[in-house]
Amino acid sequence: QVQLVESGGGLVQAGGSLRLSCAASGRTFSGGTMGWFRQAPGKEREFVAAIRWSGTYYADSVKGRFTISRDNAKNTVYLQMNSLKFEDTAVYYCAARISGTGSTGRLSQSIEYDYWGQGTQVTVSS
């Protein structure tokens, strides 16, 4: 049974940093795609970042502030979030896609991912 477990969320002041982790178990995703999405209250789930063999990909809203990385030996993906803003407040979800290929334009589509974590709350105080 595949599980994705996020950790690292919490409360931080604007301008601060947090590092989210997502540990996968049940299968390896070293050849696949790992991503982060977020959902703020009353809003749709939105793409944040993704990583696969071809590189890293970011939403415009987080580019230059967030960094996605992975440790294949630990089957874990990370999201380093710097210069946090109030509008970054959301539940952050880890997602995994078995395939590491396909159009980069579709990496931001939640339907492309096969597995999801339960989410971790990030709250940024202004």
Side-chain angles (χ1 to χ4, degrees):
Q1 181 180 356
V2 175
Q3 281 191 315
L4 303 178
V5 179
E6 302 100 335
S7 61
L11 174 64
V12 64
Q13 287 188 330
S17 299
L18 280 176
R19 188 195 194 205
L20 304 183
S21 300
C22 172
S25 61
R27 71 164 295 141
T28 179
F29 291 99
S30 58
T33 305
M34 302 291 289
W36 289 95
F37 288 72
R38 67 187 182 186
Q39 188 166 18
K43 294 188 176 181
E44 297 287 318
R45 188 172 299 189
E46 65 174 3
F47 170 75
V48 175
I51 184 168
R52 66 180 189 183
W53 66 272
S54 57
T56 56
Y57 306 87
Y58 298 94
D60 288 341
S61 59
V62 307
K63 205 170 290 184
R65 300 187 298 121
F66 291 10
T67 302
I68 188 171
S69 62
R70 69 195 300 173
D71 184 336
N72 287 333
K74 295 182 179 180
N75 214 20
T76 298
V77 64
Y78 305 96
L79 185 68
Q80 177 66 44
M81 306 185 294
N82 299 328
S83 302
L84 282 162
K85 304 176 181 179
F86 175 75
E87 50 264 40
D88 294 318
T89 296
V91 177
Y92 283 70
Y93 296 91
C94 174
R97 172 177 161 83
I98 297 171
S99 172
T101 61
S103 168
T104 55
R106 297 195 62 80
L107 290 177
S108 62
Q109 305 300 307
S110 58
I111 196 172
E112 294 294 307
Y113 293 81
D114 303 299
Y115 302 98
W116 291 84
Q118 292 300 306
T120 185
Q121 176 71 46
V122 172
T123 303
V124 184
S125 62
S126 57

